[in-house]
Amino acid sequence: MDIKSPGKSVSRLAESSYLSPYSHTGTPAADHAGEPDPYKPLRAQALAKLEAMGYDPATMVERGVVWAEDQDPFGHVKQSQYTQFFGTCFHRVMESYDQYLIEQEYDDMIHARTVIPVVRKYELSLRRQVKYPDSVS
């Protein structure tokens, strides 16, 4: 397996870094002095716990609940929406392979023209209701 040439300056993972919780306040990598954010302490605590559990900070995603799209009429996030959250996370992990593959290998993987990683099973344990304006990381 070839490693990408140093000529490519921006990885696909870096291009979608706006999805990363590390681009928000309450993270060691972000400098958002003076920006009010009620989730700042919660985000810092959650990220510290996830990192301690071994999750890769480069592939983490934070996505806010969209009021009109993600909820049922009672204000609960729809069960089917969690699968979309997982899909976004899986795509970030796929983007992280960009640094290890030449462009053709990566494009073949993304377009399913070669052997690709597959998620065999999602398992979800709901601990509390998720509703607008919550974020899911």
Side-chain angles (χ1 to χ4, degrees), residues 60-74:
M60 288 184 191
V61 174
E62 180 176 342
R63 184 183 179 289
V65 173
V66 179
W67 181 82
E69 296 176 20
D70 299 343
Q71 300 183 107
D72 65 19
F74 302 105

Side-chain angles (χ1 to χ4, degrees), residues 7 11 32 43 55 57 59 64 70 75 77 81 92 100 104 113:
S11 73
H32 297 276
R43 182 178 293 115
Y55 288 95
T59 60
D70 299 343
V77 169
Q81 192 59 39
R92 286 279 293 168
Y100 304 107
Q104 182 63 47
R113 294 187 294 249

Side-chain angles (χ1 to χ4, degrees), residues 21-131:
Y22 287 87
S23 66
H24 302 287
T25 62
T27 62
D31 181 21
H32 297 276
E35 289 185 31
D37 184 355
Y39 292 104
K40 183 176 180 175
L42 261 169
R43 182 178 293 115
Q45 181 183 8
L47 291 174
K49 186 171 187 170
L50 290 168
E51 286 183 41
M53 293 170 68
Y55 288 95
D56 182 4
T59 60
M60 288 184 191
V61 174
E62 180 176 342
R63 184 183 179 289
V65 173
V66 179
W67 181 82
E69 296 176 20
D70 299 343
Q71 300 183 107
D72 65 19
F74 302 105
H76 307 108
V77 169
K78 295 181 267 186
Q79 186 174 356
S80 61
Q81 192 59 39
Y82 289 102
T83 305
Q84 292 183 14
F85 296 155
F86 292 142
T88 302
C89 296
F90 180 69
H91 191 74
R92 286 279 293 168
V93 171
M94 296 281 282
E95 287 176 328
S96 72
Y97 296 160
D98 183 42
Q99 64 182 319
Y100 304 107
L101 305 172
I102 61 172
E103 188 169 353
Q104 182 63 47
E105 289 173 325
Y106 181 82
D107 287 341
D108 286 349
M109 181 184 71
I110 291 297
H111 295 100
R113 294 187 294 249
T114 187
V115 176
I116 61 170
V118 175
V119 175
R120 185 177 76 102
K121 177 181 172 183
Y122 290 117
E123 189 171 314
L124 177 65
S125 176
L126 297 174
R127 296 183 182 187
R128 71 170 185 85
Q129 178 183 345
V130 178
K131 58 186 180 180

